[in-house]
Amino acid sequence: MKKLFFCSISVLLLSSIAFAQEFEIKKYEINARVVPEEQKVVAQAKLRLVNLSDPDLAERILLSPDNKPRLSFFLNPKAKVEAMKVNGAAVQPKTAEDARNNLTRVYVEMTSAMTGLREFDVDLDYSIPATDRGAALHVSGEETFLLPA
């Protein structure tokens, strides 16, 4: 029951994708594992995205060196991204605090190779430490709960 609840919350956070580039989540799979010894939750998210963007997005990427379109996800503010892959190729994600939503924005800049694909896969591995007891996050040998922050 706890795992199902955690997965539901994670799906809500991950489905808050930035739609500036107009993507749709076609399929998702989230596996979460509670590690009480380390007081953390380890998650692996696999998403299949459909690119609904205009065909001129590739031109905007090439013509705009400073303001490139991004593929963004929002995670728990304590989340630590461990790895991210796009179509099996490792990418270096960047993170930033999103003060409006009290979440962490995880993003990669779109490349012209990504914009040419109508569908692609994103794998995101992250963990959420729960060393501080709080009303929203707690991991121990006896009980575990993770609520939206």
Side-chain angles (χ1 to χ4, degrees):
M1 182 69 181
K2 293 175 189 176
K3 196 171 189 178
L4 178 63
F5 180 74
F6 172 77
C7 289
S8 299
I9 296 302
S10 295
V11 167
L12 290 174
L13 291 175
L14 283 172
S15 63
S16 300
I17 193 168
F19 284 101
Q21 287 82 37
E22 298 179 37
F23 293 102
E24 181 178 283
I25 298 175
K26 183 175 183 179
K27 181 180 175 185
Y28 62 88
E29 179 182 326
I30 300 174
N31 294 310
R33 186 172 45 90
V34 176
V35 186
E37 307 82 48
E38 298 177 30
Q39 292 185 320
K40 70 178 181 178
V41 177
V42 177
Q44 294 89 27
K46 296 176 185 278
L47 300 120
R48 179 80 172 163
L49 301 177
V50 177
N51 186 351
L52 303 174
S53 302
D54 289 335
D56 70 336
L57 181 61
E59 290 177 22
R60 286 190 283 168
I61 289 174
L62 296 174
L63 297 175
S64 177
D66 298 329
N67 192 18
K68 293 190 179 220
R70 297 177 177 166
L71 177 63
S72 303
F73 301 93
F74 295 99
L75 297 175
N76 183 294
K78 293 183 178 185
K80 297 196 181 348
V81 177
E82 296 165 6
M84 186 172 181
K85 294 180 183 178
V86 176
N87 273 353
V91 294
Q92 184 61 45
K94 298 176 184 172
T95 59
E97 290 183 25
D98 191 332
R100 281 182 307 173
N101 301 318
N102 190 28
L103 296 171
T104 297
R105 178 188 303 261
V106 179
Y107 64 94
V108 293
E109 291 184 354
M110 296 289 294
T111 63
S112 54
M114 289 170 64
T115 59
L117 300 171
R118 295 319 305 157
E119 292 188 14
F120 57 94
D121 297 313
V122 175
D123 297 321
L124 184 61
D125 297 341
Y126 62 97
S127 63
I128 303 173
T131 53
D132 300 330
R133 271 194 138 154
L137 182 63
H138 172 71
V139 174
S140 72
E142 295 81 39
E143 62 182 358
T144 299
F145 58 89
L146 175 65
L147 304 171

